[in-house]
Amino acid sequence: MSILVYTESENGSFKKIAHEAVSYAKGIADMMGTSVTALAVNANDTSELGKFGASKVLEVSNDKLNNFNAEAYADVIAQAAKQEDAQVVVLTSSANSKFMAPLVAVNLEAGYVPNVTELPSSSSPFTVKHSVFTNKAFSNTEINTNVKIVGLGKNAFGIKENETSATTEAFSPTLSEDDFSTEVVSVDKATDKVTIADAEIVVSAGRGLKGPENWGMIEELAETLGAATACSKPVSDMGWRPHSEHVGQTGKPVASNLYIAIGISGAIQHLAGINASKTKVVINNDPEAPFFKAADYGIVGDAFEVVPQLVEKLKEFKAQNN
Amino acid sequence: MKILVCISHVPDTTSKINFTDGDTKFDTNGVQFVINPNDEFGLTRAMWFKEKQGASVHVVNVGGPETEPTLRKALAIGADEAIRVNTPATDGYSVAKQLANVVKEGGYDLVIGGRESIDYNGGMVPGMVAKMLDANFVNTCINLEVEGDSATAIREIDGGKETIKTKLPLVVGGQKGLVEESDLRIPNMRGIMQARSKPLHVKEPVDANAETNTNSFEKPAPKGDVKLVDSVDELVNLLHNEAKVI
Ligand SMILES: Cc1cc2nc3c(=O)[nH]c(=O)nc-3n(C[C@H](O)[C@H](O)[C@H](O)COP(=O)(O)OP(=O)(O)OC[C@H]3O[C@@H](n4cnc5c(N)ncnc54)[C@H](O)[C@@H]3O)c2cc1C
Ligand SMILES: Nc1ncnc2c1ncn2[C@@H]1O[C@H](COP(=O)(O)O)[C@@H](O)[C@H]1O
């Protein structure tokens, strides 16, 4: 018996969500009186996983798995879960994790619940709280199958240290040609930009900016904060910004620590997608803009004045605090 | 090519979310239901395959009679036939099981679903259908081309995109990008009239047990009032000392 957690890495290094997922798996293991086995694929150094509560690390090293492939990765996870007799499999909310979770679920005949926001409220029956209606509500859902799969919501649990001595073991899954019947032929990814999925801070702007030529100050603000840039739906529909930046109910969800909304009115569909962010700041020249009701901090003012001032101030602040 | 588009029947994005029966049921009072936005992009892409490549397009929903207006709307947009599997959609797994059966019996080559339904945000039905049928699967699909039995798909990944080559039978989880917002079609009078006489088959369900069940719903705790500040100095100070996010 164990809790199996898949730890996502990129170019050999673990992503932060891998640390969060192990922390969360440890929380479940403690509730259920068992231990955490982490599964790592082509990671350079797995010693750090013990710090967050893994007692055992299964290390897969296989060149065929250098590129993510949902079918193959799902198969690897299912094989590991069977070997370890896992009661619970912990996945995350990364695009890759969400891609393969349903495949793992069918393979293991396991019930799957995504977007889980906290530790199970009970381990028997196994009941988890997860967000539904794009963060407008939560559901308390019971999983009835022997094996359970939970997809931890973005930034929902946090990283918790829990020093455990971890043993490592090589794991060699059996892969067949069928695992590679979808083939990734090219990847197009900006490596120098923070992604909305990984970002702790997201700077987002809307139609209040008047035109794409005014995004320079938004990018500068994002760069100063080490943040990702995002936008409202009409901004991407008009082609001012790429679709990948569209956030909201029909775009990407944002669950960052800080979300700064500039010249965005705060329509219900926009708010739904960004509600899970912890601290929200709004800069808008209309004191009646609905976004202020959903915000923690606000400045009523003209973005073209406030944003450059904010950039200056933050640069000063960073110079003092570094 | 035979295409099946999976249509989830969801509350319109402006809906107020409330619950009844001791917070165990979604309150549909005054709620307008629509085609799930992700599915509408997929349906519109399917119309392109129909018009350019002679594909036939069927739509399917697993749900009660109340979902039929949504299926009629899909017919008015241009689908040839609709199927409703007559059973409530209780969880992702049981819905996938019904859909897998429809796909198998209908011999579809391409199944287009959405990345997720905007109501329960499961993001699991298309992937489960693919796995149940041993079909190929591409999620968060933002572009799709099919030639013979070969498909080229572009998938959105965190921070970029990747191009995938695969073969039919294929299931995709689609989203905006499959077609653009401006390509979406509002049914016209002729479409609506035609839809009335197009077949809408009601199919009885196969056995499928739910793997999960909802005990109760809750709404987020109400938020405190916004703190309005006059200067960026004050804002930076609060973000650092109070919110501790910078
Ligand atoms: C089915 C459906 C799905 C949708 N999904 C989404 C979604 O996922 N995400 C999304 O964002 N939207 C979505 N929308 C659109 C949504 O309803 C709003 O139309 C949209 O969010 C508005 O974008 P905006 O705030 O940028 O523009 P506007 O509503 O035009 O607001 C601009 C704001 O900028 C302010 N402003 C103007 N000038 C300045 C200035 N100089 N300085 C400071 N502030 C200024 C104005 O006061 C105003 O509040 C959806 C709509 C539908 C129908
Ligand atoms: N009841 C249903 N009937 C038909 N298709 C559905 C149903 N539920 C979900 N789907 C399809 O599966 C996709 C993802 O749904 P979900 O897994 O519920 O988020 C939707 O966008 C639909 O294409």
Side-chain angles (χ1 to χ4, degrees), chain A residues 13-293:
Chain A
S13 315
F14 287 109
K15 295 183 140 199
K16 262 181 50 190
I17 49 164
H19 297 165
E20 188 180 9
V22 176
S23 309
Y24 180 76
K26 175 65 176 162
I28 299 186
D30 287 347
M31 283 179 75
M32 296 178 73
T34 178
S35 61
V36 175
T37 301
L39 174 67
V41 178
N42 293 345
N44 298 334
D45 177 7
T46 62
S47 60
E48 69 204 66
L49 298 178
K51 195 153 91 195
F52 309 101
S55 315
K56 179 167 163 188
V57 182
L58 296 181
E59 296 183 332
V60 178
S61 155
N62 188 326
D63 282 347
K64 284 194 193 148
L65 299 172
N66 280 344
N67 267 337
F68 175 79
N69 178 302
E71 181 83 46
Y73 272 56
D75 202 6
V76 172
I77 293 172
Q79 289 178 34
K82 284 176 191 159
Q83 175 186 301
E84 297 298 304
D85 191 17
Q87 295 156 285
V88 181
V89 177
V90 175
L91 299 174
T92 65
S93 292
S94 70
N96 289 351
S97 201
K98 287 201 158 177
F99 187 178
M100 64 187 172
L103 307 178
V104 182
V106 171
N107 189 326
L108 293 175
E109 297 178 359
Y112 161 53
V113 174
N115 308 320
V116 171
T117 55
E118 49 190 64
L119 284 175
S121 57
S122 135
S123 59
S124 177
F126 192 89
T127 312
V128 283
K129 180 167 160 179
H130 59 115
S131 67
V132 290
F133 294 99
T134 329
N135 297 312
K136 289 179 195 164
F138 299 98
S139 165
N140 294 297
T141 298
E142 220 174 280
I143 308 182
N144 309 321
T145 46
N146 288 335
V147 183
K148 287 106 182 146
I149 302 182
V150 290
L152 180 62
K154 279 192 180 136
N155 211 1
F157 190 70
I159 294 173
K160 300 198 169 53
E161 295 202 3
N162 203 325
E163 196 67 54
T164 307
S165 70
T167 57
T168 58
E169 206 175 274
F171 179 62
S172 311
T174 321
L175 294 169
S176 71
E177 224 164 81
D178 276 357
D179 286 319
F180 298 93
S181 54
T182 63
E183 183 201 356
V184 176
V185 289
S186 66
V187 179
D188 173 5
K189 186 168 170 172
T191 45
D192 54 334
K193 272 195 78 187
V194 192
T195 66
I196 294 174
D198 291 338
E200 294 189 12
I201 304 180
V202 173
V203 174
S204 188
R207 200 143 60 175
L209 281 232
K210 314 281 190 276
E213 66 282 6
N214 296 325
W215 249 261
M217 62 182 190
I218 300 298
E219 282 178 341
E220 198 179 353
L221 177 58
E223 202 174 307
T224 313
L225 287 164
T229 49
C231 67
S232 67
K233 179 170 177 285
V235 165
S236 75
D237 287 345
M238 291 182 294
W240 295 1
R241 300 296 291 179
H243 282 319
S244 55
E245 285 197 2
H246 159 200
V247 297
Q249 188 165 12
T250 54
K252 283 204 176 61
V254 181
S256 54
N257 285 333
L258 174 60
Y259 183 76
I260 305 182
I262 301 157
I264 300 178
S265 56
I268 186 168
Q269 299 94 348
H270 187 86
L271 297 180
I274 62 97
N275 254 341
S277 292
K278 304 225 157 93
T279 299
K280 284 158 255 169
V281 174
V282 170
I283 299 169
N284 195 305
N285 62 2
D286 174 8
E288 301 297 319
F291 215 141
F292 284 114
K293 289 208 178 65

Side-chain angles (χ1 to χ4, degrees), chain B residues 65 112 129 135 137 152 181 218 238:
Chain B
I112 305 180
V129 171
F137 176 50
T152 307
E181 187 82 20
E218 37 186 288
L238 285 167

Side-chain angles (χ1 to χ4, degrees), chain B residues 2 8 14 22 25 27-28 36 40 57 79 81 89 107-108 111 113 117 126 140 155 168-169 192-193 203 235-236 242:
Chain B
K2 281 189 80 176
S8 179
T14 57
K25 283 204 173 66
D27 183 359
T28 55
N36 184 43
E40 200 174 343
V57 178
E81 293 183 24
Y108 296 96
V111 179
S117 308
T140 56
R155 170 173 93 95
L168 303 182
I192 295 167
M193 295 304 287
K203 201 172 156 61
L235 179 64
V236 169
E242 190 178 82

Side-chain angles (χ1 to χ4, degrees), chain B residues 236-246:
Chain B
V236 169
N237 179 30
L238 285 167
L239 291 178
H240 182 61
N241 293 313
E242 190 178 82
K244 302 195 189 325
V245 286
I246 59 171

